[in-house]
Amino acid sequence: MIRVYALCTGYIELDRASMVSDLTPGQPWTVPVTSFLVDHPRGRLARLGLTPVDVRYVANSHLHFDHCGGNEFFPRATFFVQRPELEAARRPGFVPSYSPSPIDFDHPLDYRMIDGEHDVFGDGSVVLLPTYGHTPGHQSLLIRAGKNAQIVCASDACYTRENMDRDVLPKVLWNPSVMRDSLAALRKLRDQAGATMFYGHDPVQWEATPRAPAPVI
Ligand SMILES: [Zn+2]
């Protein structure tokens, strides 16, 4: 039995136009930083009665500070990161406009670089999806928690529902055409495959999301 929990790991204040680039600048917005805990029989991400050393796997969507800044607190976990993401992060300046801070990710941890789609448990229940573009190796997470229960954690491949509905990219990105392709793939999962989409920093959606310790599903 798989359970999924939504957690808020902080808030960021920014200009709404930085997230939806065709809006008029000057509209301050407070957005949540969301994390999802997947409780799988063969590996758990949970704070519900567990401590960080109980966490077996962590999937970093990418290595911006708000998505990996707590990695060091999970010393026993294996960290899944897409290869182009970690390689770019470890060579500052190698990829223009992408230099995540080493203090956030560069710790002696068990990083496992993956190439594209990756089925974490080999049973199709938790699958990492390459959604490059926001950063060189951004990834999203697909969870199949039952016959008709598909959840996609888009992370920063799509900040808010508005980005997906109107096909508008944010200002913070690495490659706009690659990001647009990733956004289209996610939209297809939502609109054609019927997946429930969780956006990376959507305050409106977060208001309506059941929070841990209540499960999302
Ligand atoms: Zn980001």
Side-chain angles (χ1 to χ4, degrees):
M1 170 115 177
I2 289 180
R3 286 273 194 199
V4 181
Y5 301 91
L7 295 165
C8 182
T9 47
Y11 290 90
I12 300 176
E13 295 194 12
L14 38 69
D15 191 324
R16 192 165 182 169
S18 70
M19 302 183 74
V20 183
S21 59
D22 64 353
L23 296 179
T24 310
Q27 304 174 55
W29 224 27
T30 302
V31 305
V33 178
T34 55
S35 295
F36 290 86
L37 305 173
V38 181
D39 187 348
H40 183 282
R42 287 181 40 226
R44 289 193 264 200
L45 299 177
R47 81 168 184 193
L48 306 152
L50 300 174
T51 66
V53 293
D54 297 315
V55 174
R56 186 168 172 194
Y57 299 114
V58 173
N60 290 132
S61 59
H62 60 304
L63 298 175
H64 280 152
F65 71 98
D66 53 326
H67 296 269
C68 72
N71 279 5
E72 62 188 299
F73 301 116
F74 297 92
R76 301 246 288 267
T78 293
F79 291 79
F80 293 118
V81 183
Q82 292 283 329
R83 182 178 303 279
E85 186 73 15
L86 196 57
E87 287 187 344
R90 283 177 168 164
R91 297 177 68 183
F94 180 63
V95 174
S97 78
Y98 186 60
S99 295
S101 174
I103 200 169
D104 291 319
F105 73 89
D106 198 8
H107 304 286
L109 297 167
D110 177 22
Y111 281 108
R112 196 162 301 173
M113 287 195 278
I114 55 177
D115 297 286
E117 196 169 309
H118 180 73
D119 184 342
V120 176
F121 297 102
D123 61 2
S125 63
V126 181
V127 182
L128 297 165
L129 305 173
T131 47
Y132 303 170
H134 174 65
T135 58
H138 187 283
Q139 63 184 350
S140 303
L141 184 68
L142 168 68
I143 304 155
R144 292 189 185 95
K147 224 176 165 192
N148 297 310
Q150 286 197 95
I151 286 179
V152 175
C153 304
S155 197
D156 287 3
C158 186
Y159 280 151
T160 69
R161 180 181 186 114
E162 185 174 4
N163 295 98
M164 187 172 287
D165 286 354
R166 296 206 293 110
D167 197 23
V168 180
L169 298 180
K171 286 181 179 165
V172 180
L173 49 71
W174 163 68
N175 184 313
S177 67
V178 173
M179 186 168 188
R180 201 172 288 283
D181 288 348
S182 295
L183 186 59
L186 290 174
R187 189 184 298 107
K188 216 169 157 183
L189 282 172
R190 184 190 72 173
D191 296 346
Q192 294 179 27
T196 300
M197 188 65 56
F198 283 99
Y199 308 98
H201 296 284
D202 190 325
V204 178
Q205 181 180 47
W206 183 245
E207 274 307 305
T209 301
R211 326 277 172 90
V216 174
I217 51 166

